[in-house]
Amino acid sequence: MAASLRVRDQHIAVFGGSGSGKTVLVSSFYGATQEPSFAKESLFHVIADDTGQGHRLRQIYLGMKNDAKTPPTNRFAAEPYKFTVKLKDSADAKTAKARAFDALRLVWHDYPGEWFEQEPSSETEATRRVDTFRSLLRSDVAMVLVDGQKLLDYAGDEGKYLKSLFGDLRDGLLRLKDELLDDGERLKEFPRVWIIALSKADLHPELHAHGFQDLLIQKAAGDVAALRDVVTDLVQFPEALSLGEDFLLLSSAKFEPERIEVTKRVGLDLILPVASILPLQRLVQWSQHFEVPRRLLDHFADNAEAIALVLVSAKSFRDVIGKIPKVGPLLASALPMLAQAAQLSRSKIEAVNATARAKHDNLAAVLSQFQLDLERGEEDGTFVKSNK
């Protein structure tokens, strides 16, 4: 009997107003991974867990690529997308058995913007709205999309649009607060890393991530702070929260009249690194400033231990982590090992990646490549990462 895959889930929640490009983004992300060139060069396959859903996403992608067609607005849909990142495995049986896990599953939650902008039209829709939002509570990372087209529409008065965007999200959270809390208790599990991302970044070729950050701070610092206050009031241990500290540029393609160039994407190759590596790095940053209760560790950064174990390849790490009690602070003995994995120098990451590739240890090669991709994103101006 074939051994079953040991899969680790990473959840990402995407918030954006109606027409901000959420469906196009997920279609472009998935469609690009189905291209023969990606299959030839990558160390992994991206497989849609639901075949029919995968076909629909690829149909949208091919419509853009071949017919320059964009999908209609997917109003009030709230469908999570599940993709398994399955290794092209050439490891021997002993190596495969020894590794921490076999595959990552990215769960992409897409929250309809209309649900923050309009009241539900029925009791059924109201119930579905709460159920959908509660499913987001498992996410490791949230992205708030700033619509690049609307920034253009409000050129010179961008603050007006941004105030509406962040205000709708803030007010929507406040309206749902009582239904989201667990018997009035603040939540342990909630997206702890909230990235503000510019969708349709191809419309702003002059803008890099630092420029986008400056624009947000200049035009909407108070609105972002107000959203942070609301989120802070929802979660336990609010010290472990970053909102409005990370910025990302995203573009599904380059859109021109009667032509869509799907190969000219921006930032989509950082989705998997952001979902898997960034929570680990952020956990280490927080842990170096205050004691993180061990009982909350898994709620802040899913799979941090398993990912760190792959990157540092240390059996002693697994032994130490296993001995840490489930209550009390994250012991000083464990933090250095997490930090070792999360804060490897560039040269060390490259060495880990080269060694893993030479040994056909594709899991370590993929995760170390994700770390390198995040650094590249910072260097090329696509991503701004918090240094707090």
Side-chain angles (χ1 to χ4, degrees):
M1 178 184 297
S4 58
L5 282 178
R6 295 165 297 172
V7 180
R8 297 280 182 165
D9 286 355
Q10 299 294 139
H11 293 251
I12 189 165
V14 181
F15 298 90
S18 175
S20 60
K22 298 187 294 297
T23 303
V24 177
L25 280 175
V26 68
S27 301
S28 189
F29 164 79
Y30 176 69
T33 65
Q34 306 309 299
E35 293 284 9
S37 57
F38 181 91
K40 180 179 179 181
E41 298 172 6
S42 177
L43 295 176
F44 57 86
H45 300 287
V46 176
I47 301 169
D49 287 13
D50 182 325
T51 301
Q53 188 183 66
H55 285 171
R56 290 194 297 276
L57 292 176
R58 195 170 182 210
Q59 186 178 45
I60 292 171
Y61 173 80
L62 293 174
M64 292 193 292
K65 175 183 176 183
N66 298 329
D67 301 322
K69 290 172 54 180
T70 53
T73 302
N74 197 11
R75 288 173 62 84
F76 300 109
E79 190 177 20
Y81 304 95
K82 297 182 180 179
F83 308 103
T84 296
V85 179
K86 186 177 181 182
L87 302 174
K88 292 179 180 176
D89 204 348
S90 56
D92 57 41
K94 183 178 179 181
T95 300
K97 185 178 180 180
R99 65 191 174 204
F101 55 95
D102 301 311
L104 282 173
R105 178 182 292 116
L106 175 68
V107 186
W108 179 309
H109 299 273
D110 187 328
Y111 194 87
E114 293 84 354
W115 281 353
F116 280 131
E117 300 161 358
Q118 305 170 21
E119 285 302 306
S121 59
S122 66
E123 189 66 28
T124 299
E125 187 177 295
T127 301
R128 191 156 59 92
R129 181 173 72 167
V130 173
D131 290 344
T132 297
F133 194 80
R134 288 185 69 87
S135 73
L136 301 185
L137 304 186
R138 293 186 59 203
S139 294
D140 306 280
V141 173
M143 288 198 300
V144 180
L145 298 186
V146 173
D147 189 332
Q149 179 60 59
K150 290 194 173 179
L151 273 190
L152 280 183
D153 295 342
Y154 284 85
D157 196 14
E158 294 90 348
K160 187 174 182 180
Y161 159 61
L162 295 170
K163 186 178 188 66
S164 172
L165 170 69
F166 291 109
D168 286 342
L169 182 53
R170 180 196 64 221
D171 293 346
L173 288 170
L174 282 173
R175 280 195 297 271
L176 296 173
K177 179 180 176 181
D178 291 341
E179 297 169 271
L180 297 175
L181 297 180
D182 294 328
D183 296 326
E185 294 291 324
R186 291 183 177 185
L187 302 165
K188 298 176 184 174
E189 193 171 16
F190 200 82
R192 297 285 174 158
V193 182
W194 289 64
I195 300 170
I196 302 179
L198 175 66
S199 67
K200 307 173 188 175
D202 57 298
L203 297 175
H204 300 268
E206 78 293 348
L207 198 60
H208 49 68
H210 282 284
F212 176 56
Q213 177 187 22
D214 288 347
L215 177 67
L216 264 293
I217 292 173
Q218 181 182 355
K219 302 286 186 176
D223 301 293
V224 174
L227 175 61
R228 185 188 302 115
D229 289 343
V230 170
V231 174
T232 296
D233 201 38
L234 285 171
V235 300
Q236 295 185 25
F237 214 73
E239 298 90 338
L241 176 71
S242 64
L243 193 159
E245 300 173 16
D246 303 86
F247 301 86
L248 177 65
L249 303 186
L250 292 172
S251 178
S252 304
K254 183 173 179 56
F255 292 81
E256 299 176 329
E258 301 183 359
R259 185 182 184 189
I260 300 176
E261 295 188 62
V262 295
T263 58
K264 294 188 175 179
R265 298 178 297 273
V266 177
L268 293 191
D269 59 339
L270 297 182
I271 295 293
L272 287 169
V274 158
S276 57
I277 299 297
L278 190 60
L280 167 64
Q281 295 179 340
R282 196 54 43 85
L283 174 65
V284 169
Q285 289 175 248
W286 291 329
S287 299
Q288 290 174 335
H289 290 89
F290 44 79
E291 291 283 6
V292 176
R294 167 64 176 157
R295 63 183 174 80
L296 296 178
L297 178 63
D298 292 338
H299 300 293
F300 290 173
D302 283 344
N303 305 312
E305 299 166 3
I307 290 172
L309 179 61
V310 172
L311 292 171
V312 300
S313 303
K315 179 180 181 300
S316 57
F317 177 76
R318 188 200 304 269
D319 294 340
V320 169
I321 284 290
K323 293 176 182 176
I324 298 176
K326 289 292 184 183
V327 295
L330 181 64
L331 297 185
S333 56
L335 179 58
M337 294 187 182
L338 284 169
Q340 183 183 350
Q343 298 177 330
L344 291 172
S345 66
R346 175 67 172 266
S347 60
K348 183 62 177 176
I349 302 171
E350 291 174 341
V352 169
N353 186 261
T355 300
R357 288 176 183 268
K359 292 183 175 180
H360 304 291
D361 182 354
N362 285 354
L363 182 58
V366 167
L367 291 177
S368 55
Q369 186 62 52
F370 284 173
Q371 286 183 299
L372 294 172
D373 289 343
L374 280 182
E375 290 206 3
R376 174 185 49 75
E378 290 185 89
E379 291 169 357
D380 67 17
T382 304
F383 181 48
V384 172
K385 186 172 68 174
S386 171
N387 291 318
K388 287 179 66 177

